[in-house]
């Protein structure tokens, strides 16, 4: 029984590494919540930043499947992850990206949002994405792309991951003017700000160390 409790990580009172069971539930939960956030944004026709934002642009402009585009766009960032952040982080991130891509594609088959105000979609979608990413970060994983770059910059130079992602996200959303309307871009920027402020406030190395 003691071995089972230790394996599950229950009732630990000292700083310990995450157990495999904890990593599995953390990565699955983070991917699921992030996929829900992406679906909320898509239901209002909104975008977000990073590689997910580029995948949204390709989806809206050319009708390319979002999940597939999101997965393929993240592939080049695995080199940085492999070289700078280690094999374990890279493998966890690969699994998280695959799960999020799959769950995002399956989402319309299990639920439907008939109507949602874009402001509410921006707030709710941004927070859900933030919670999902925070769960992944705390289990030494991410959703790839700028998330990988952000974690590297925070650990190497002390620049918060949320600020790095916010800067890149705003550049991606600026490109959205070419494929959608200004109101959609405005609400998309709002969602990106909500997401990245949430990460900036809550993902801090001085308060939580992922082991």
């Amino acid at each position: 029984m003691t071995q089972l409790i230790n394996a599950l990580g229950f009732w630990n009172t000292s700083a310990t590494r995450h157990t495999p069971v904890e990593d599995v539930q953390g990565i699955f939960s983070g991917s699921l919540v992030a996929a829900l956030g992406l679906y909320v944004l898509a239901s209002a026709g909104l975008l977000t930043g990073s590689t997910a934002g580029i995948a949204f642009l390709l989806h809206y402009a050319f009708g390319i499947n979002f999940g597939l585009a999101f997965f393929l766009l993240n592939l080049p960032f695995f080199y940085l992850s492999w070289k700078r952040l280690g094999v374990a982080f890279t493998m966890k991130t690969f699994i998280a990206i695959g799960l999020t891509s799959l769950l995002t594609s399956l989402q319309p088959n299990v639920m439907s949002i008939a109507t949602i105000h874009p402001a509410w979609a921006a707030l709710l979608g941004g927070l859900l994405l933030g919670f999902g990413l925070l769960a992944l970060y705390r289990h030494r994983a991410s959703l790839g792309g700028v998330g990988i770059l952000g974690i590297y910059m925070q650990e190497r130079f002390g620049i918060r991951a949320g600020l790095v992602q916010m800067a890149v996200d705003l550049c991606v959303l600026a490109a959205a003017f070419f494929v959608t309307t200004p109101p959609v871009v405005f609400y998309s920027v709002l969602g990106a700000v909500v997401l990245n402020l949430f990460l900036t406030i809550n993902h801090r190395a001085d308060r939580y160390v992922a082991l």
Side-chain angles (χ1 to χ4, degrees), residues 18-77:
H18 286 128
T19 66
V21 173
E22 289 175 327
D23 281 338
V24 168
Q25 66 82 28
I27 291 172
F28 177 77
S29 300
S31 299
L32 179 61
V33 174
L36 181 59
L38 290 171
Y39 181 65
V40 169
L41 293 174
S43 297
L46 304 183
L47 305 93
T48 187
S50 191
T51 48
I54 300 174
F56 270 130
L57 290 174
L58 294 173
H59 174 69
Y60 293 146
F62 305 107
I64 299 174
N65 179 272
F66 172 84
L68 177 61
F70 178 64
F71 182 80
L72 294 177
L73 285 168
N74 276 295
L75 291 180
F77 288 92

Side-chain angles (χ1 to χ4, degrees), residues 1-169:
M1 179 61 71
T2 302
Q3 290 180 335
L4 176 61
I5 290 174
N6 290 335
L8 295 175
F10 294 161
W11 300 305
N12 287 332
T13 58
S14 59
T16 59
R17 291 188 177 277
H18 286 128
T19 66
V21 173
E22 289 175 327
D23 281 338
V24 168
Q25 66 82 28
I27 291 172
F28 177 77
S29 300
S31 299
L32 179 61
V33 174
L36 181 59
L38 290 171
Y39 181 65
V40 169
L41 293 174
S43 297
L46 304 183
L47 305 93
T48 187
S50 191
T51 48
I54 300 174
F56 270 130
L57 290 174
L58 294 173
H59 174 69
Y60 293 146
F62 305 107
I64 299 174
N65 179 272
F66 172 84
L68 177 61
F70 178 64
F71 182 80
L72 294 177
L73 285 168
N74 276 295
L75 291 180
F77 288 92
F78 284 115
Y79 178 77
L80 174 63
S81 177
W82 188 280
K83 285 291 187 179
R84 299 293 184 179
L85 300 174
V87 176
F89 178 89
T90 302
M91 295 305 298
K92 290 178 185 179
T93 296
F94 184 84
I95 293 170
I97 290 171
L99 269 175
T100 302
S101 299
L102 177 63
L103 292 169
T104 302
S105 297
L106 293 176
Q107 201 81 254
N109 298 321
V110 296
M111 68 176 293
S112 176
I113 299 177
T115 180
I116 184 170
H117 192 281
W120 185 246
L123 176 61
L124 182 60
L127 285 176
L128 285 170
L129 267 175
F131 274 106
L133 284 169
L134 186 63
L136 294 174
Y137 287 172
R138 290 187 171 181
H139 288 270
R140 294 289 296 166
S142 79
L143 286 182
V146 179
I148 291 175
L149 180 62
I151 291 178
Y152 169 71
M153 294 293 286
Q154 176 163 305
E155 295 188 352
R156 179 68 176 80
F157 301 106
I159 302 173
R160 292 188 188 176
L163 294 179
V164 174
Q165 184 146 342
M166 181 182 292
V168 177
D169 287 356

Side-chain angles (χ1 to χ4, degrees), residues 141-206:
S142 79
L143 286 182
V146 179
I148 291 175
L149 180 62
I151 291 178
Y152 169 71
M153 294 293 286
Q154 176 163 305
E155 295 188 352
R156 179 68 176 80
F157 301 106
I159 302 173
R160 292 188 188 176
L163 294 179
V164 174
Q165 184 146 342
M166 181 182 292
V168 177
D169 287 356
L170 292 178
C171 292
V172 172
L173 290 168
F177 281 105
F178 295 99
V179 298
T180 189
T181 63
V184 169
V185 175
F186 169 78
Y187 287 116
S188 298
V189 169
L190 175 62
V193 170
V194 169
L195 161 63
N196 290 294
L197 283 178
F198 177 87
L199 288 177
T200 299
I201 293 170
N202 291 285
H203 182 56
R204 292 178 54 173
D206 60 332

